[in-house]
Amino acid sequence: RNRSVGAIVALDPVPSRTAPSMGPSVVMGLRALLEPSAIALDNALSLQKMEALSVTDDLTRLNNSRHLYNVLRTEVKRAVRNGRPLSLLFLDLVTFKLVNDTHGHLCGSKVLVEAAAVIKACARETDTVARFGGDEFSLILPDTGPDGAISVAERILERMRVTRFLADDGLSVHQTASIGVATLFPESPKTAEELIKEADMAMYRVKAAGKDGLHVSQEGS
């Protein structure tokens, strides 16, 4: 389809005094030989792209909830097997509905994209950041106990408080977050679903207490 998907390189160990060249018959032979491989590579790249899209949120380009569940189930098993803690953050944007009501849904979508960038920048390379749905985000923090999880949550809160959203549109929108923290300890294992429920409940404790803060779950509290 007139598109380059790769290159094959041949090296001649004998030095040449002239530029190398291949006759038409050699070129045609190489094309016939390489075309099936090129098609297979193109198909593999297309499949890889489709697989990436299936676990990526269309708007924010973060992982989606489907990928979050898959990664969390794997990390829960690994944490229990290796005797290491695992933490999960659940985050809800505080005044997101007000943005939609005041500036429209297009601006609301831009706020989600900008918030995703802030959250992603506060995470570590080993963390998994996902948009759970709507204005809710989640972070999986491997090998992390409550203290480390609180540090990440506080970093997110601080960055959210000082960020002025929609600045490129001539606006200065303030946005904060409610964050719930839940931790799995190997001596008290939980399922991925139980950990999500705990973090979600902790987040709603923050929202009920006035929003813009964090709450650490203590065995579901």
Side-chain angles (χ1 to χ4, degrees), residues 87-91 118-119 122-124 127 139 141 144-161 176-182 206 212-216:
S87 290
L88 180 69
L89 303 186
F90 240 58
L91 181 154
V118 170
I119 297 167
C122 294
R124 305 161 302 182
D127 300 335
L139 293 86
L141 314 178
T144 305
D147 291 342
I150 289 172
S151 295
V152 175
E154 289 178 339
R155 187 157 62 243
I156 293 172
L157 288 172
E158 181 180 353
R159 287 285 301 276
M160 292 287 288
R161 288 165 182 157
T176 53
S178 301
I179 304 178
V181 181
V206 180
D212 188 20
L214 67 92
H215 178 77
V216 180

Side-chain angles (χ1 to χ4, degrees), residues 61-63 114-125 127-130 137 139 156 159:
R61 312 313 298 171
L62 295 178
N63 298 302
E114 293 178 15
V118 170
I119 297 167
K120 181 71 174 178
C122 294
R124 305 161 302 182
E125 289 187 6
D127 300 335
T128 298
V129 185
F137 298 84
L139 293 86
I156 293 172
R159 287 285 301 276

Side-chain angles (χ1 to χ4, degrees), residues 6-104:
I8 183 167
V9 180
L11 300 177
D12 188 346
V14 180
S16 176
R17 293 181 179 274
T18 59
S21 63
M22 295 183 292
S25 60
V26 175
V27 172
M28 290 181 62
L30 285 173
R31 286 183 180 275
L33 178 66
L34 296 176
E35 186 175 3
S37 299
I39 293 173
L41 178 58
D42 187 40
N43 290 338
L45 292 173
S46 297
L47 178 61
Q48 186 180 53
K49 183 177 180 180
M50 290 176 60
E51 289 175 343
L53 290 173
S54 72
V55 296
T56 302
D57 177 61
D58 289 339
L59 177 64
T60 63
R61 312 313 298 171
L62 295 178
N63 298 302
N64 59 21
S65 58
R66 173 186 175 185
H67 186 65
L68 175 80
Y69 274 104
N70 290 337
V71 172
L72 187 58
R73 291 187 182 104
T74 299
E75 289 295 341
V76 164
K77 293 177 182 177
R78 191 176 71 87
V80 174
R81 182 174 64 250
N82 296 339
R84 299 288 296 169
L86 169 69
S87 290
L88 180 69
L89 303 186
F90 240 58
L91 181 154
D92 178 85
L93 300 183
V94 171
T95 56
F96 177 71
K97 185 178 184 301
L98 182 61
V99 174
N100 278 336
D101 293 343
T102 304
H103 303 290

